[in-house]
Amino acid sequence: MKKIIYFILTVTIPFNYLLAWGNEGHMLIARKAVDFLPEEMAYFKQWASYIEIHSVDPDNRKSSDKSEGHKHYIDIDFYKEFNRGEMIYNLEELKKAYNDSIVNEMGVLPWATAETYKNLVLAFKEKNRDKFLIYASDLAHYVADGHQPMHSVINYDGQMTSQKGLHSRYEIHMVNKYLEELDKSFYSQEPYYVSDPLSFVFYYITNSNLLSCIVFDADNLAFSETGLRETDDYYRILWFRTRYITVLQVNSAANDLASMIYSAWLDAGKPNLKDL
Ligand SMILES: [Zn+2]
């Protein structure tokens, strides 16, 4: 057992250096989410470029803050409870069942997202513009990470299935190549009230985990058809086979983020922030 844990820890460490959706993807999702806010929060659009630019800050913090990297993912299929459909949502209970360092190494994205949400509610209540802009930008980042399928699996870089490097091939190289098409694919939904942020986060992370199979299959197919990875033809096939779920995921990320920002404002009692 010790050997297995050691292996898992060893292969998990480099994850800190991986970036979900790349900077371009993160900024696109943040910008769209602010656009999708309801009419009663229309004034929030004056801060759209701040949130867009600062939505990548959490990735930049990784080099100076050791605890930051683990907030960007959860290798959720590491847990037998998840695979049995009985995932433990409570962080303390999960740490009791495993231990602090294992839970930390497997990633704490759901709880980092819920914590940021809580801080955003407080900042809204205090009408503290500097704080709510920081927390809204952080939330933009973590919500987007939670929609990236490769941020929710233990085989996060294809390292266990001879597909190493798939993480950045999918989220950075492919996304940047087809960014324009992605940009045009957004559609807004009516933001709605999220009554239980932590369950909501687990809901979309579970979906991301299930969709990761499509990314793995697409990579294998693109490789077997072209014989090489990282060629234009490889990326054309990777995009063709994952376009539908990628469009769905970036759209869900933007819409779920809009719903969370809106819900945080409702939880804060709809403060008037117009003239800040
Ligand atoms: Zn990230």
Side-chain angles (χ1 to χ4, degrees):
M1 182 62 183
K2 256 190 186 160
K3 260 189 183 164
I4 294 170
I5 290 172
Y6 175 75
F7 169 74
I8 289 164
L9 293 179
T10 311
V11 297
T12 304
I13 287 163
F15 194 101
N16 292 345
Y17 302 100
L18 299 169
L19 315 167
W21 302 122
N23 286 351
E24 300 298 330
H26 269 294
M27 293 196 290
L28 181 62
I29 290 167
R31 187 170 75 240
K32 297 288 180 183
V34 177
D35 252 14
F36 295 166
L37 285 171
E39 197 49 41
E40 47 185 334
M41 282 193 87
Y43 61 87
F44 212 80
K45 288 176 189 162
Q46 65 184 299
W47 300 304
S49 44
Y50 179 99
I51 293 170
E52 179 183 347
I53 292 164
H54 291 276
S55 66
V56 299
D57 286 1
D59 272 340
N60 297 330
R61 284 202 296 264
K62 287 178 188 170
S63 51
S64 58
D65 179 355
K66 267 190 168 177
S67 68
E68 183 61 40
H70 303 292
K71 296 179 182 173
H72 297 240
Y73 66 94
I74 180 166
D75 297 347
I76 200 165
D77 47 3
F78 164 78
Y79 297 107
K80 61 180 189 302
E81 291 81 0
F82 173 77
N83 296 320
R84 290 178 188 160
E86 298 163 346
M87 183 61 190
I88 302 170
Y89 290 180
N90 183 290
L91 183 59
E92 296 315 312
E93 273 178 40
L94 192 65
K95 284 179 174 174
K96 254 185 236 162
Y98 293 81
N99 68 47
D100 270 33
S101 64
I102 293 283
V103 171
N104 209 32
E105 288 300 331
M106 291 306 131
V108 293
L109 175 60
W111 303 283
T113 313
E115 184 68 26
T116 306
Y117 178 89
K118 224 191 279 172
N119 288 334
L120 181 61
V121 174
L122 284 178
F124 275 150
K125 273 187 186 162
E126 290 167 9
K127 296 190 184 182
N128 185 326
R129 192 187 60 178
D130 291 350
K131 277 193 188 171
F132 70 64
L133 287 180
I134 290 171
Y135 292 129
S137 306
D138 282 2
L139 192 66
H141 189 95
Y142 296 136
V143 172
D145 276 359
H147 288 77
Q148 209 288 48
M150 306 303 282
H151 275 238
S152 61
V153 282
I154 193 157
N155 188 20
Y156 55 82
D157 197 27
Q159 77 279 10
M160 292 164 144
T161 46
S162 306
Q163 294 172 280
K164 201 155 173 34
L166 176 56
H167 195 107
S168 56
R169 285 198 296 278
Y170 173 70
E171 75 175 11
I172 298 179
H173 303 298
M174 185 196 79
V175 165
N176 285 352
K177 223 170 160 57
Y178 294 96
L179 199 66
E180 230 181 279
E181 209 174 314
L182 264 183
D183 194 345
K184 287 182 202 147
S185 76
F186 281 85
Y187 50 87
S188 74
Q189 292 157 4
E190 197 60 40
Y192 57 90
Y193 180 63
V194 176
S195 57
D196 181 348
L198 186 64
S199 299
F200 183 66
V201 173
F202 270 106
Y203 187 82
Y204 64 63
I205 285 179
T206 300
N207 185 49
S208 296
N209 177 274
L210 304 178
L211 293 177
S212 65
C213 301
I214 295 172
V215 182
F216 290 121
D217 281 356
D219 176 70
N220 276 334
L221 188 96
F223 180 59
S224 72
E225 286 294 321
T226 61
L228 285 168
R229 288 188 166 101
E230 308 213 18
T231 60
D232 281 349
D233 249 8
Y234 164 86
Y235 281 113
R236 186 181 54 75
I237 297 173
L238 187 68
W239 172 244
F240 174 68
R241 304 287 297 194
T242 61
R243 171 206 267 155
Y244 307 96
I245 61 137
T246 306
V247 163
L248 268 176
Q249 286 307 91
V250 293
N251 269 282
S252 297
N255 281 293
D256 290 348
L257 175 60
S259 289
M260 287 184 90
I261 294 174
Y262 176 54
S263 303
W265 180 70
L266 292 178
D267 281 349
K270 294 186 168 193
N272 183 358
L273 311 170
K274 267 181 208 156
D275 305 318
L276 293 180

